[in-house]
Each structure stands twice: as C-alpha cells, then as structure tokens.
C-alpha cells in the first residue's frame, strides 16, 4: 500500500510538472469571462511582471504628517495608504495600533505633548466621512461626528484646543464650517452656515480669523476671511472677480499678511502677499513663468518653501522674506515630486525648517524625502519597492495640433516613455489620457504602464487642451462647446505618431480613467480606423446623465462651468450630439470597460 501511495504521489507530481512545463511554454490563457479571439496567451514573464508590479504598488509610500513631540513622521503605505510610523530616515515602517487602515486627513496640534490627533474615515470609498480622535496612550479611536458627509479637516487653532473643518452634514450640499474641541465632541459649533463650497485652509496666529477658499469651478476660486469670534465673513480682493483662482494659502506669523498664489492678470499662479491693514498686494515671484502650486512657511516665519510646476515637473524653491530673493533648490533627488494644482504637496516640520515631499522616479515607486532649508540637505526616509536603475528615461515632446497660435500650429506637450534598445522598432504605442479634465500628466509612469514599456511598447501621456500647468488660457480651451477640441488633440497625436519612424502607427491603443475614460470613448468613436483597441476605466459615456448625476454628489455648478449646463435645451442638444454613447456604433475595435461600483462621480450606469 505504501508503495502504491508513493507511486501515485510521484505520478501526480509528474503530471503537475508536465502541466507546468506546458503552461510555461504556452503562457496563461484568458479568463473564461473574456473573449480573446486572435489574442495569444500571456507569457509567464509578463504575468510575473504583473505580480511584481502589484507588490511594488503595495510598497509605495507617501507622506502623511510630521508627529509633534515624537521622533519621525507618519507615512501611508500601499494602495490603501495605510498609515505607519517611520521613526527615522530609512527605518522600518511600524503599524499604528488600533488605527483603521483607511484613516485619512490626519491633523495634529503643534503642541509636542498633545495626547491625540484627529482623522477622517469613510466607508467603501464613498467620500462621505465621519471624524474621529485617536488617543496615543490607549491606542483607541473615539468617534467625533455622527453623520457621514463630504468635507475636510483644516487645522487646530494656534495655541488653542479647537479644530476647524468643513462638512456637508447639514444638508448634503453646502460646505459649512465647524469648530470643535476633539476632547469634548459636544463642544462642536457652527461657525459658518454656508451657501456653496467653502474650505478652511489656514488659521491666523492669534486664532481670530480662518482663511477660507470658496470653490466656484474646477479653475476658479474665491478667498474669504471668517471672523470666528463674530461669525462675520469678508471676501478678499472681490474686485478681481470670479474668473481667478487662489491656491496654497498661508498666514504670516504676525497675522498681518496672507500669502497665496493666484492667476489674477497672469497666465500662471504667481506667489503673492496680501496686507490685511491696507489691502495692498505684492507679487513675490516675478519672472517665474510657471504655476506656484504649494507653499509652506518655516517655523520662524522668515522663509517660504514653495513648489513651481515647471513643464509638468514640480520643483522646489525657497524665498527669503527679508531680502525678497528666491532660489531654486539644486541637488533634488531624481524623479517627479507628486503634486497637483490645488492639493497639498509640501509639509513643513512644526519645529524645524524642514519640508517633506513625495518623490517618484520616472517609472518607479514613490519614496518620502525631506529637505532641510538650513543645511541644504536632502534625506530619504522611505525606501523604494523596485530597482530604480531599470527604469527607462522620459522624453518631453510637443506635437502640433489642429489650431493656430499667432499663425503657427498650437503644440500639445506629452511625456513619451520608450523601451530598452534591445527591442526592435517600430514599437506599438499606448496613449494614456489623464482625468480631470483640469489635471496634468507628469513625467512619471505608473507601474501598470511601466509593464507595457518593459514588454517593448511605448507609452505616451499627452496633456491635451484643458490640462493644468500650461496657463489658464490653455485650461479653458476645452470649456463648454469647445469640448471636442481635446478629442482632436488625440487625433493630432495619432498624426504625429505616424511621422515617427520608431513608432508603429498601425498598433496604437488608447486608454484613460474618469474624464480620461470619456476621452478614450470619444477618441474611439472618431478614430476607430486608426486605433487597435481601447480601455475605458470608469469614464462617462453620456455627458447629460453625468451632469445630472452631479446634482446628487459632486459639485454640480463646477461641472456645468466646465462642460455646460444640461438644463439649457440648446446646450443639452449639443452635449447629446458629442456623447460617445450616442455614437457607439462607430466603435469598431475591441473595447475593455472597467466600471467603479462605488464611484461617487461617474456612476456605473455610464459603463
């Protein structure tokens, strides 16, 4: 019997080895749910790269916050951004006991002995948050609010106990401003009953005023001061109108000035100061013809660290307020600073002149760095998940499109990633279209697309009209009835590909997510004869139903300012005429659609 069992085991092992040998040669078959006519099996090498890519994405790190009174910082890790403690540069990531994996928007008091911090948490990606307190000593979580709502936590009042936050809890639409002592949740008070979307961004040093930014559209905001003692609200620089944008707001340490970036009377967001006593405005970054996207004051208030989005590559600068001179920081680590207009990317230490920021090599995994303004030293805090020496360099190109600027063809910037020289041209091409639309594709290749390059393909990430970073006029080129201009920019890219001897114009795919998914579908309805396939990731197919769904959750007036008001019959007819859903019969190549079941902006029905 033992011999029979042994022989049976050896036979089973032989069968498994034989099956493995066959699969190693033939590759992985398509899953049963996917029809793959004429598509070869996936080689094991590519399958292993996919597995390795997922492991790399799980090891990506991003800065969360400095920890007052405790050494080190907090960093999010993996695709879930689970928060860990990093006690020193290069130290292992330590999980925080009792803190939920999806904890978001962590806010601390600057007091080193403060026993807790505040954070937000939603369920299932709903973006409807409740606020919580995390107590360091007991590693416990205490709920602070009951109603899930959209919003954001700003900051603690200087020298005080209250935290300021915005929430739509009252009616689900308007972003009211609340103040609360997290040690006593019953202390919550409504500081501003809002009519619209207001975001608290900075608290004055004396605790009297909150600077608020009101969201008017994807490209326009307004700046306000809220007196937290009287409840009065004052709009600053109202004579600038509604067609401007304010970003990256912070107070001077004496409370007499506000610093911010704005595109008033300029194409780009320049760094400025506003004197509260006189209303005088001064520009602090004359001669820098790119957007200032974020700023942080040093703890002593003498300098400002700020980011400049130079041709899609955010670059660190330092301004000395006494002399008025600024310098570009040299010696930065190779890679792309993760930043997007309107989102925080720099984080100043509460006690030292040291900023933290996330850096991503051209197609590697993000690591956290700090830069010390006093000794001009860069320090790496977290380690990458991949060998960065294997990454391919990026080339920034500009290709001509259909319209003219001063009599010459307008140019569209794009990042091009080519494979290793060991691959034979002409290369197949994947066009990846970013979301937004007022976002930007930087010179960095996310890991899933890096697999295309490692397999011998080229990835091109264009910044079609409507993208941020190239001036407000460029951002407005796709507004309303000009929407199809962005699709024509994709067509112009196909023309450019056909002129490149190392690119195969007969093997071009297009893909994108959210608004990029819409552009993918629209491109397929126009250019199916020039594309081999497409991938739509939670993109909207009908502009009218997308805008109608925005009423339920996501900034309806801002969306209408960008795309048009579907309630107007003439505009509605136009939007219907360009919606990919109404021209689906024109898509004659394979299309893979990836909907998001919990997507709060693009409903699954759009797929």
């Amino acid at each position: 019997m033992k011999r029979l069992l042994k022989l049976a085991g050896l036979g089973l092992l032989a069968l498994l080895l034989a099956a493995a040998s066959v699969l190693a040669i033939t590759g992985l078959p398509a899953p049963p749910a996917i029809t793959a006519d004429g598509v070869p099996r996936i080689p094991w090498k590519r399958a292993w790269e996919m597995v390795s890519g997922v492991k790399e994405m799980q090891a990506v790190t991003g800065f969360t916050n400095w920890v007052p009174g405790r050494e080190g910082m907090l960093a999010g890790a993996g695709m879930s951004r689970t928060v860990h403690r990093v006690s020193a540069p290069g130290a292992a990531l330590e999980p925080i006991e009792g803190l939920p994996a999806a904890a978001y928007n962590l806010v601390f008091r600057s007091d080193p002995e403060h026993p807790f911090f505040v954070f937000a948490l939603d369920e299932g990606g709903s973006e409807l948050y409740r606020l919580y307190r995390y107590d360091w000593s007991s590693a416990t979580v205490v709920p602070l609010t009951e109603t899930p709502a959209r919003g954001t936590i700003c900051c603690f009042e200087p020298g005080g106990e209250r935290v300021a936050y915005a929430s739509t809890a009252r009616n689900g639409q308007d972003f009211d401003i609340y103040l609360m002592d997290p040690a006593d949740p019953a202390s919550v008070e409504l500081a501003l009953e809002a009519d619209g979307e207001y975001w608290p961004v900075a608290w004055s040093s004396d605790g009297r005023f909150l600077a608020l930014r009101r969201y008017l559209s994807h490209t326009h905001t307004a700046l306000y001061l809220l007196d937290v003692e009287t409840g009065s609200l004052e709009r600053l620089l109202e004579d600038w109108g509604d067609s401007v944008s304010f970003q990256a707001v912070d107070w001077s340490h004496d409370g007499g000035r506000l610093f911010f970036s704005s595109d008033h009377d300029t194409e780009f967001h320049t760094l400025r100061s506003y004197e509260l006593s006189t209303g005088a405005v001064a520009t602090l970054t004359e001669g820098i013809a790119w957007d200032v996207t974020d700023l942080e004051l040093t703890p002593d208030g003498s300098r400002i660290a700020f980011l400049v989005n130079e041709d899609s590559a955010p670059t660190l600068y330092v301004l000395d307020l006494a002399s008025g001179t600024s310098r570009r920081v040299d010696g930065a680590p190779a890679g792309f600073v993760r930043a997007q207009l309107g989102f925080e990317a720099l984080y100043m230490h509460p006690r030292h002149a040291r900023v933290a920021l996330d850096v991503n090599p051209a197609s590697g995994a993000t690591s956290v760095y700090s830069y010390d303004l006093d000794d001009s030293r860069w320090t790496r805090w977290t380690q990458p998940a991949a060998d960065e020496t294997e990454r391919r360099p990026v080339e920034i190109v500009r290709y001509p499109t259909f319209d003219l600027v001063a009599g010459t063809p307008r140019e569209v910037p794009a990042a091009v990633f080519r494979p290793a020289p060991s691959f034979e041209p002409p290369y197949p091409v994947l066009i990846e279209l970013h979301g937004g639309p007022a976002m930007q594709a930087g010179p960095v290749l996310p890991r899933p697309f890096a697999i295309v390059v490692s397999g011998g393909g080229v990835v091109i990430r264009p910044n079609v009209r409507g993208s941020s970073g190239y001036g407000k006029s460029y951002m407005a080129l796709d507004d309303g009835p000009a929407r199809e201009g962005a699709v024509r920019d994709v067509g112009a890219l196909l023309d450019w590909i056909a002129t490149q001897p190392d690119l195969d114009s007969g093997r071009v795919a297009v893909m994108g997510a959210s608004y990029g998914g819409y552009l993918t579908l629209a491109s397929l309805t126009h250019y199916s004869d020039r594309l081999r396939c497409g991938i739509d990731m939670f993109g909207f197919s009908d502009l009218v139903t997308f805008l109608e769904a925005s009423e339920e959750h996501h900034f309806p007036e801002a969306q209408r300012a960008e795309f048009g008001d579907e309630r107007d019959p003439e505009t509605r007819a136009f939007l219907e005429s360009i919606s990919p859903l109404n021209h689906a019969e024109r898509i004659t190549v394979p299309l893979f659609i990836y909907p998001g079941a919990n997507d709060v902006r693009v409903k699954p029905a759009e797929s």
Side-chain angles (χ1 to χ4, degrees):
M1 180 62 70
K2 289 184 178 179
R3 183 175 180 181
L4 286 174
L5 290 173
K6 184 176 181 181
L7 287 172
L10 290 172
L12 179 60
L13 178 61
L15 286 173
L16 290 173
L17 289 173
S21 299
V22 171
L23 285 174
I25 296 171
T26 62
L28 289 175
I34 295 178
T35 300
D37 292 338
V39 179
R41 292 188 174 210
I42 300 171
W44 274 101
K45 179 181 178 182
R46 300 289 166 246
W48 180 250
E49 285 179 349
M50 286 294 294
V51 173
S52 300
V54 171
K55 289 174 65 179
E56 287 185 21
M57 288 187 288
Q58 284 292 79
V60 165
T61 53
F63 184 83
T64 299
N65 214 328
W66 296 105
V67 186
R70 292 168 170 82
E71 292 301 319
M73 63 170 61
L74 299 182
M79 290 182 283
S80 66
R81 299 279 292 189
T82 302
V83 178
H84 294 72
R85 183 182 174 210
V86 186
S87 60
L93 274 65
E94 307 168 21
I96 299 178
E97 181 185 354
L99 185 66
Y104 165 79
N105 200 186
L106 279 65
V107 175
F108 296 79
R109 265 195 56 174
S110 58
D111 176 6
E113 303 304 321
H114 208 62
F116 59 77
F117 62 83
V118 178
F119 68 93
L121 187 68
D122 72 345
E123 292 186 8
S126 67
E127 297 186 21
L128 299 175
Y129 297 97
R130 293 178 63 193
L131 304 190
Y132 297 84
R133 185 184 81 221
Y134 179 84
D135 293 334
W136 284 110
S137 59
S138 60
T140 56
V141 170
V142 179
L144 301 177
T145 59
E146 294 183 0
T147 304
R150 286 179 290 158
T152 185
I153 312 171
C154 169
C155 42
F156 278 91
E157 63 180 321
E161 300 296 331
R162 296 176 299 177
V163 68
Y165 64 95
S167 174
T168 62
R170 177 173 57 88
N171 61 10
Q173 291 291 329
D174 297 305
F175 285 69
D176 299 327
I177 307 300
Y178 293 87
L179 307 178
M180 177 200 288
D181 178 356
D184 176 18
S187 68
V188 64
E189 59 179 293
L190 179 64
L192 174 67
E193 184 173 305
D195 178 17
E197 290 116 26
Y198 290 82
W199 302 83
V201 289
W203 210 323
S204 63
S205 56
D206 60 2
R208 179 70 183 269
F209 297 103
L210 268 173
L212 310 179
R213 194 168 67 232
R214 185 180 184 187
Y215 189 81
L216 301 172
S217 75
H218 295 304
T219 54
H220 300 142
T221 55
L223 189 61
Y224 288 80
L225 282 189
L226 172 65
D227 188 323
V228 299
E229 293 184 7
T230 67
S232 64
L233 186 68
E234 176 189 4
R235 181 171 178 178
L236 303 181
L237 302 168
E238 186 171 6
D239 58 328
W240 285 9
D242 289 340
S243 298
V244 298
S245 177
F246 296 87
Q247 301 289 349
V249 181
D250 206 353
W251 290 88
S252 65
H253 279 217
D254 63 5
R257 284 191 292 175
L258 272 175
F259 298 104
F260 58 85
S261 65
S262 177
D263 58 3
H264 172 63
D265 282 343
T266 61
E267 277 293 314
F268 296 94
H269 285 78
T270 57
L271 181 58
R272 313 180 192 209
S273 66
Y274 173 83
E275 293 280 352
L276 269 68
S277 60
T278 64
V281 178
T283 299
L284 306 178
T285 54
E286 293 280 5
I288 298 179
W290 297 103
D291 284 324
V292 174
T293 59
D294 198 10
L295 67 90
E296 288 278 288
L297 267 73
T298 54
D300 64 2
S302 65
R303 288 164 290 177
I304 298 177
F306 62 98
L307 282 177
V308 176
N309 187 10
E310 296 182 351
D311 201 7
S312 78
T315 305
L316 184 62
Y317 282 71
V318 176
L319 168 68
D320 182 86
L321 288 171
S323 65
T325 59
S326 58
R327 64 179 177 89
R328 191 176 190 267
V329 173
D330 296 323
F336 171 79
V337 174
R338 193 162 60 188
Q340 182 68 43
L341 190 64
F343 296 91
E344 190 172 6
L346 284 178
Y347 307 85
M348 185 67 68
H349 194 282
R351 300 184 305 279
H352 307 295
R354 181 184 304 149
V355 289
L357 61 172
D358 299 337
V359 178
N360 194 330
S363 56
T366 305
S367 301
V368 182
Y369 284 79
S370 67
Y371 176 74
D372 195 302
L373 279 66
D374 290 329
D375 61 14
S376 302
R377 179 168 53 90
W378 290 93
T379 302
R380 185 180 212 152
W381 283 75
T382 61
Q383 298 303 313
D387 181 0
E388 297 170 9
T389 61
E390 297 179 359
R391 303 308 186 194
R392 300 298 304 155
V394 58
E395 177 188 3
I396 303 298
V397 303
R398 283 172 167 76
Y399 64 87
T401 190
F402 63 92
D403 54 344
L404 303 177
V405 179
T408 60
R410 185 186 306 279
E411 292 186 325
V412 176
V416 180
F417 299 83
R418 287 182 168 86
S422 57
F423 290 97
E424 287 288 333
Y427 310 118
V429 179
L430 173 64
I431 299 171
E432 194 267 324
L433 302 166
H434 69 71
M439 295 177 70
Q440 185 181 49
V444 60
L445 195 62
R447 181 57 189 166
F449 307 121
I451 294 169
V452 174
V453 176
S454 68
V458 166
V459 174
I460 301 178
R461 307 186 73 202
N463 279 303
V464 298
R465 66 191 60 217
S467 302
S468 61
Y470 301 96
K472 62 184 179 184
S473 297
Y474 192 79
M475 290 180 70
L477 286 175
D478 66 341
D479 288 354
R483 180 62 44 198
E484 291 273 85
V487 184
R488 294 182 67 183
D489 285 344
V490 178
L493 177 54
L494 294 174
D495 295 338
W496 179 83
I497 289 171
T499 68
Q500 305 302 302
D502 65 333
L503 305 183
D504 188 345
S505 61
R507 290 189 296 164
V508 181
V510 62
M511 74 172 294
S514 193
Y515 175 73
Y518 158 78
L519 279 184
T520 294
L521 295 174
S523 298
L524 288 166
T525 65
H526 284 272
Y527 308 117
S528 269
D529 59 331
R530 304 170 68 185
L531 293 165
R532 289 290 286 271
C533 61
I535 302 174
D536 160 33
M537 300 178 67
F538 40 91
F540 42 93
S541 60
D542 187 322
L543 285 160
V544 171
T545 55
F546 165 69
L547 290 167
E548 288 175 339
S550 295
E551 279 282 8
E552 175 189 336
H553 190 90
H554 186 66
F555 309 130
E557 295 311 314
Q559 301 287 23
R560 288 170 180 143
E562 175 72 39
F563 295 100
D565 191 338
E566 84 287 356
R567 297 167 298 184
D568 172 69
E570 185 176 344
T571 301
R572 188 184 189 93
F574 167 73
L575 294 172
E576 289 175 341
S577 74
I578 67 171
S579 291
L581 181 65
N582 298 324
H583 305 288
E585 75 284 353
R586 298 180 186 172
I587 301 177
T588 58
V589 295
L591 170 62
F592 187 91
I593 299 177
Y594 183 103
N598 296 330
D599 197 322
V600 299
R601 296 170 182 80
V602 182
K603 302 301 182 183
E606 292 292 333
S607 294

